[in-house]
Amino acid sequence: MNKPAGRVLHGYFRSSAAYRVRIALAWKELAYRQAPVSLIKGEQQADGYRRLNPQGLVPALEDGGRVLTQSLAICEYLEEAYPDTPRLLPDDVVARAEVRALAQQIACDLHPLNNLRVLRYLVEVLGTDDAQKQRWYAHWTQEGLAAFESTLARTAGMYCVGDTVSLADVCLVPQVFNARRFDVDLAPYPRLQAVAGRLEALPAFEAAHPARQPDAA
């Protein structure tokens, strides 16, 4: 990996969005330093972090004096800023659109309904119990993954789009991790499981796994 050159990732080990960026950085062999932000302790709401990211969300990436937010925007920034590193977007215009569509199915449509702040609101404000929260999580995850599985029928090879790792794969693996964590049945999605299994064995994906992060202890 190249030298960090002031590259700092502010994230949380179990955050899907931060997980995506860790995968992208590892895949592109870009060194960085981690600055953990505990979502459980509410550190994302501290004034210091809010100055870095006014949304109070993770991740935020500092790179050479710039601050980038939103995981997909960060990944596309890395793609454009470091074109000589392994790619995450194909050259073919149709394949590139397919990659972005799959990535957005997860990052824009599925994940926002099930992230920590939504689940907390369900419990702390709306008064749902654990069983109701689990039904909410499972419903939206199964709906999203079913659509993803159907899309893979026309796009997948070894990975989500053909036989090359892409931004779609970067989004898939964290979502599968979360689904397992919340005991969502993945049996109805054999293509998705097969792709995820191949990805999880790759060194960059292994290095980005939540269990291997400094704040996982």
Side-chain angles (χ1 to χ4, degrees), residues 28 74-83 87 89 100:
K28 299 180 83 61
I74 293 171
C75 290
E76 294 224 20
Y77 160 79
L78 295 173
E79 186 79 350
E80 295 172 3
Y82 302 100
R87 304 302 302 275
L89 288 170
R100 285 181 167 132

Side-chain angles (χ1 to χ4, degrees), residues 103-206:
Q104 290 173 26
Q105 278 189 37
I106 288 177
C108 302
D109 295 333
L110 194 171
H111 173 242
L113 289 165
N114 284 337
N115 70 12
L116 180 61
R117 61 179 178 161
V118 169
L119 297 179
R120 275 184 162 173
Y121 188 86
L122 289 173
V123 174
E124 296 172 5
V125 179
L126 299 184
T128 59
D129 58 28
D130 285 343
Q132 291 170 321
K133 182 182 76 171
Q134 176 63 22
R135 285 199 297 274
W136 169 281
Y137 186 94
H139 169 78
W140 294 114
T141 298
Q142 289 165 339
E143 184 171 286
L145 293 185
F148 201 96
E149 176 80 4
S150 295
T151 307
L152 290 183
R154 71 167 188 269
T155 65
M158 287 285 290
Y159 305 115
C160 285
V161 178
D163 297 325
T164 303
V165 171
S166 72
L167 186 58
D169 303 295
V170 167
C171 291
L172 172 62
V173 167
Q175 195 61 52
V176 168
F177 170 83
N178 275 351
R180 291 177 183 144
R181 180 172 165 242
F182 283 89
D183 297 319
V184 175
D185 182 14
L186 296 178
Y189 321 115
R191 294 186 192 92
L192 182 153
Q193 286 198 83
V195 168
R198 287 188 283 270
L199 291 164
E200 288 164 339
L202 298 174
F205 286 76
E206 288 184 334

